[in-house]
Amino acid sequence: MTLTGAECRIFDDKAAVAAAAAELILQHAQTAIAERCRFNIVLAGGTTPTATYRLLADGQTDWSAWHVYHGDERCLPADDDDRNSRTADLVWLNQVPIPRQQVHPIPAELGAEAAADAYVPIVADALPFDLVLLGIGEDGHTASLFPGRDIPSGPLVIPVHDAPKPPPDRVSLTPAALCRSDRILLLITGSSKRDALARWEAGEDLPVARVAAGGNSVVLLDRAAAGV
Ligand code: 6PG
C-alpha cells in the first residue's frame, strides 16, 4: 500500500498493531529522554489506540519525563466516558507515575472556543512535539479535522462545530501543530477504514493525507484495513 507522505507497515491483526505501536512509542520516548530529558507526546482519540494505551500502562520508561497532550477532544463533561482524555486516563495514565501537571487534557468542558483559546499556549509551549499519534475516520478525518471543512494554516488549535462524527462540538489541533513533530504515528485497524485508505491512496486531499504529508509519518495498519 502506498500512502502519499507516509511509510506503511502492515501487521496481521489489531493486537499486532497495538504491540508494534507501544514498542515504537517507548523507543521514541527513550531517545527523546536521553537527548532532552523530556518526551512530548500527543495522543489520538477514538477507540483504535486503546489497546496500545493498555500496553503502555506496563511500559518500562522514565514516566517523570513524559508530557502528554491530546490531538483533539470532544466538548463533553470532563468525566464523560466518551471523552478522549478519559479513555487514556482510565486504561493508562492513571496507572503510571507521570506527574499530573505533565498531563494536559484539553478543557473541552468549557466549550469549543474557550477550550481552544486555553489550549493554544499549552501547545505553543510544547512545540515541537516528539511524537504525535493519530487515527483516521471512515470519511478520512483525523483528530477533529473533517473533510470539506476549512483547515486554517495559522492557529495551532481550533474550535469545531457541527462535526459529522458526534459530538458536534469539538476542539482540534491543526496541521500547524500536529505536523510540528519529530514523528507522526497513525494507527489504523479494521475493514471500516479501507475506503478512507483507498481514497488517500488515490491521492484525495483528505485531512489525514494533508497532516501525514506535513510530517515524518508512519502508518501502522492491519490486514483488515489494508485489504490484503
Ligand atoms: C475522535 C478522534 C477521531 C478518531 C477517528 C478514529 O474524537 O473520535 O479523535 O479522530 O481518531 O475518528 O476513531 P476510531 O479509532 O474509534 O475508529
Side-chain angles (χ1 to χ4, degrees):
M1 171 164 273
T2 304
L3 298 173
T4 307
E7 173 198 343
C8 287
R9 299 177 190 173
I10 300 176
F11 297 86
D12 284 340
D13 53 32
K14 294 182 180 183
V17 168
E23 183 179 350
L24 269 173
I25 292 164
L26 291 169
Q27 286 171 0
H28 270 288
Q30 183 176 11
T31 302
I33 294 167
E35 292 174 357
R36 291 181 299 282
C37 300
R38 179 182 174 121
F39 177 54
N40 289 352
I41 181 172
V42 178
L43 302 189
T47 58
T48 300
T50 305
T52 300
Y53 297 162
R54 290 188 195 279
L55 293 174
L56 288 172
D58 295 323
Q60 298 304 308
T61 182
D62 178 3
W63 292 115
S64 70
W66 286 56
H67 296 256
V68 179
Y69 305 84
H70 289 271
D72 70 325
E73 189 54 276
R74 304 158 182 195
C75 290
L76 296 167
D79 61 353
D80 191 297
D81 285 342
D82 285 337
R83 285 269 298 235
N84 291 326
S85 55
R86 180 147 175 88
T87 300
D89 283 348
L90 291 177
V91 303
W92 167 29
L93 298 176
N94 288 350
Q95 300 170 45
V96 295
I98 300 176
R100 202 62 205 170
Q101 68 272 21
Q102 294 174 202
V103 177
H104 305 277
I106 300 174
E109 65 278 5
L110 301 177
E113 278 71 16
D117 289 345
Y119 211 61
V120 166
I122 293 171
V123 169
D125 184 50
L127 292 175
F129 296 122
D130 293 297
L131 183 61
V132 168
L133 305 182
L134 288 171
I136 183 175
E138 295 169 0
D139 61 358
H141 77 257
T142 195
S144 287
L145 305 171
F146 291 93
R149 304 291 181 88
D150 174 50
I151 300 180
S153 56
L156 297 173
V157 189
I158 56 172
V160 175
H161 297 291
D162 303 320
K165 177 178 181 181
D169 295 332
R170 294 163 165 260
V171 183
S172 186
L173 271 58
T174 65
L178 296 169
C179 298
R180 289 276 310 279
S181 180
D182 180 61
R183 174 62 61 86
I184 296 174
L185 188 61
L186 295 107
L187 310 182
I188 304 175
T189 62
S191 58
S192 69
K193 307 300 173 72
R194 203 174 293 174
D195 179 57
L197 285 168
R199 292 167 61 194
W200 179 0
E201 191 170 29
E204 193 171 331
D205 181 26
L206 297 169
V208 68
R210 191 176 310 181
V211 173
N216 178 12
S217 299
V218 174
V219 177
L220 304 186
L221 68 162
D222 65 2
R223 291 183 181 282
V228 295

